[in-house]
Amino acid sequence: MKFSHLLLPILALLVTSCEVEFSPNAAWKETPVVYCVLDQDDDTSWVRVEKCFLGEGSIYSYGHIADSVNYPQGALRVTLVAHRNGQAVDSMDFTYTLRQRDTGLFAGSLQPAYFCVTKGRLKEDCRYVLNIRRTSDGALIASNSSSPLALIRQTNEVLIRKPSNTGKFGFYDDGPNLEIVWNALENARRYQPRVRFYYEEYGDTHFVDLLCGNRTVTGNAQTYSLLYPRNQFLVDLRNALQHDTASKRYVRTADIYLTACDEQLNAYMNMATQTTSIEDGRQQYSNVDGGLGIVAARRTHLYKTVPVDSSDKANAGLHFFLKELGIGFE
């Protein structure tokens, strides 16, 4: 009987505890989510502004409710301010619009975004602060003012290619690799070369972009290089065109592009692809004060047009390998 008496207080405590309602949701606080990547070679710059949401149930359901993730038109003022030597020298206002993207991170139906024609206005000797303000009271709700953005400064446009002794885009006996060499760009942290390969089909010219991998800056080297193996190039090309077996001929030139991004975007990409344990959760990089997101820089215009070989020498010329792919090249 003594044992039963001891159980009574414990049972009473358990019953009382079960009656307490607990909600894991704290009080809601406005948290803007901002995405902006500036490229001084683009005609137009874009900013995406969303907001965090709070509610019970599936986050996927809330994510499809426009009021949960999007600010209404007219609710925000988005401004990009250029500073030189600590002084504001230019201010660019962004315009609200609805835009549909078929591919990429924001692919889907019409979504709100902000744009500004910035051609000729983004200067390499300036630092940039993106300000997000509520129009109702003028309050600054998000900014990157604690880490103003420096654009990627072009120091030399030379892009060197070392494919073979022939000087053409191809793979010969001197090595089954395409080597791309470039000079360092100031403020660049990660580089990604790509080959734009052209072909003709039914009289029309098309192209596919083949990524050659990426190279992250280490140390203070003046030049960097990356090897694009022949076999990888052929696999990438076959994968890109495997559903298109129509008769085609390759064009006798190819373009080599070099895209560079700054440390902010490099850090964001590293965090976005990082896998963590279930206990730690997924880390997220942000340089936005008052919210979450990324304000970063990239540069995409560096390229060089190179001739493509026409040799059909067995196990050597590019023409030979293209015919072996079985995707319609004659």
Side-chain angles (χ1 to χ4, degrees), residues 198-201 246-252 319 328-330:
Y198 295 92
Y199 63 95
E200 293 178 353
E201 186 176 272
S247 178
K248 58 178 69 69
R249 297 177 180 271
Y250 64 91
V251 179
R252 295 300 190 261
H319 193 188
F329 280 102
E330 297 179 351

Side-chain angles (χ1 to χ4, degrees), residues 159-189:
L159 180 66
I160 308 167
R161 185 197 92 274
K162 296 180 180 179
S164 65
N165 293 331
T166 66
K168 297 182 178 181
F169 183 92
F171 304 95
Y172 289 83
D173 296 335
D174 60 338
N177 295 315
L178 176 70
E179 183 179 13
I180 302 173
V181 185
W182 63 90
N183 295 324
L185 299 178
E186 187 177 340
N187 298 328
R189 184 70 172 86

Side-chain angles (χ1 to χ4, degrees), residues 232-257:
Q232 186 61 55
F233 164 79
L234 295 172
V235 168
D236 292 343
L237 185 62
R238 183 181 60 210
N239 289 340
L241 298 177
Q242 60 183 342
H243 300 299
D244 180 7
T245 58
S247 178
K248 58 178 69 69
R249 297 177 180 271
Y250 64 91
V251 179
R252 295 300 190 261
T253 59
D255 290 340
I256 301 177
Y257 285 80

Side-chain angles (χ1 to χ4, degrees), residues 59-217:
I59 61 173
Y60 298 104
S61 299
Y62 274 86
H64 287 87
I65 302 174
D67 290 343
S68 296
V69 296
N70 296 323
Y71 287 91
Q73 182 175 2
L76 301 176
R77 181 185 178 190
V78 179
T79 307
L80 183 68
V81 181
H83 295 265
R84 183 184 295 119
N85 299 324
Q87 300 294 323
V89 295
D90 195 7
S91 180
M92 292 157 270
D93 286 327
F94 283 66
T95 302
Y96 177 97
T97 188
L98 294 175
R99 190 184 187 194
Q100 181 169 339
R101 285 182 59 88
D102 297 326
T103 60
L105 181 62
F106 302 116
S109 58
L110 288 174
Q111 300 178 46
Y114 298 81
F115 74 94
C116 179
V117 177
T118 54
K119 183 178 181 179
R121 298 182 70 177
L122 299 181
K123 307 297 183 180
E124 296 177 358
D125 61 345
C126 291
R127 290 182 175 270
Y128 291 86
V129 173
L130 185 69
N131 293 322
I132 314 294
R133 295 182 181 275
R134 282 197 302 262
T135 55
S136 59
D137 57 7
L140 180 67
I141 61 173
S143 176
N144 68 313
S145 57
S146 64
S147 56
L149 178 65
L151 301 181
I152 295 176
R153 183 187 294 270
Q154 180 181 307
T155 54
N156 196 321
E157 283 199 44
V158 176
L159 180 66
I160 308 167
R161 185 197 92 274
K162 296 180 180 179
S164 65
N165 293 331
T166 66
K168 297 182 178 181
F169 183 92
F171 304 95
Y172 289 83
D173 296 335
D174 60 338
N177 295 315
L178 176 70
E179 183 179 13
I180 302 173
V181 185
W182 63 90
N183 295 324
L185 299 178
E186 187 177 340
N187 298 328
R189 184 70 172 86
R190 180 189 294 207
Y191 300 93
Q192 186 172 71
R194 72 181 187 272
V195 172
R196 176 163 291 181
F197 187 81
Y198 295 92
Y199 63 95
E200 293 178 353
E201 186 176 272
Y202 301 122
D204 296 325
T205 300
H206 307 272
F207 66 85
V208 292
D209 282 339
L210 307 175
L211 299 180
C212 309
N214 61 75
R215 177 69 185 273
T216 302
V217 172

Side-chain angles (χ1 to χ4, degrees), residues 267-277 280-286:
Y268 181 84
M269 293 170 63
N270 286 339
M271 286 293 187
T273 57
Q274 185 182 69
T275 57
T276 57
S277 68
D280 296 334
R282 183 178 294 274
Q283 294 179 312
Q284 183 176 13
Y285 178 84
S286 172

